[in-house]
Amino acid sequence: MEKIAIIYYSFEGNCTLVGKILQELFSGSGKTADIFAIKTLDTKKRTGFSKYVWGGSQVFMHKKPVIQPLAFDAASYSLIILGAPVWAASPAPAMASFLDTAKITGKRIALFCCHAGGPGKALEKFRTLLPGNTFAGELDIFSPAKDPEALTAKLKAWAETLVQ
């Protein structure tokens, strides 16, 4: 049986929403899907314009925030789905921090990114963080919480392509 890991970083809850829907979809189809949330040690909530300045500066300065330990063993999974918000046309830096510690290679990977603007080259940059892996699929998700029914339908169609 295919075992799936869904690993995401979520700043405002959008990637959490996507991850949980994916987990439900896989579980409903008889697959085992474990979900892992990446959390930073910095828990200060930034809002308004300051969150864009803070997030953008992390990307442009190549900062990798310290993350909480995550009990994840890549060897246990045949498919690893990774998701992150788009910050300054890149995946959020917390994902890079996780990937530095996880050392994922030789796996089937699927990527998703969430944003309220444009994805830029986020998925392309995401792939460069994962050398030595095979990519099963990618999904760019605009404003996930805006239309939950449409999101679920989109994720269901994508999930079906990942497990064939």
Side-chain angles (χ1 to χ4, degrees), residues 20-75:
K20 288 181 177 181
I21 291 171
L22 283 170
Q23 184 184 35
E24 288 173 17
L25 290 168
F26 286 122
S27 297
S29 66
K31 306 284 183 206
T32 300
D34 296 330
I35 193 164
F36 302 89
I38 298 167
K39 305 265 187 208
T40 61
L41 291 183
D42 176 358
T43 58
K44 182 179 177 185
K45 273 295 178 196
R46 287 141 179 107
T47 59
F49 184 69
S50 69
K51 79 177 174 183
Y52 296 106
V53 172
W54 170 76
S57 71
Q58 280 196 341
V59 172
F60 294 122
M61 304 286 284
H62 303 287
K63 292 182 182 177
K64 292 182 185 169
V66 178
I67 61 171
Q68 296 176 10
L70 199 62
F72 168 74
D73 176 19

Side-chain angles (χ1 to χ4, degrees), residues 138-159:
E138 298 176 351
L139 192 61
D140 164 25
I141 307 167
F142 177 77
S143 295
K146 190 174 185 176
D147 185 347
E149 281 185 33
L151 174 63
T152 300
K154 184 175 189 173
L155 292 174
K156 184 175 191 231
W158 186 57

Side-chain angles (χ1 to χ4, degrees), residues 78-158:
S78 53
L79 173 64
I80 300 171
I81 300 171
L82 300 164
V86 175
W87 291 7
S90 300
M95 180 55 73
S97 294
F98 167 73
L99 293 173
D100 278 354
T101 61
K103 308 288 187 214
I104 299 170
T105 58
K107 291 294 181 178
R108 281 183 59 237
I109 305 287
L111 305 172
F112 71 86
C113 67
C114 299
H115 58 86
K121 294 188 179 214
L123 288 167
E124 181 181 321
K125 291 175 182 178
F126 216 154
R127 284 191 308 273
T128 66
L129 298 172
L130 291 150
N133 292 288
T134 303
F135 294 94
E138 298 176 351
L139 192 61
D140 164 25
I141 307 167
F142 177 77
S143 295
K146 190 174 185 176
D147 185 347
E149 281 185 33
L151 174 63
T152 300
K154 184 175 189 173
L155 292 174
K156 184 175 191 231
W158 186 57

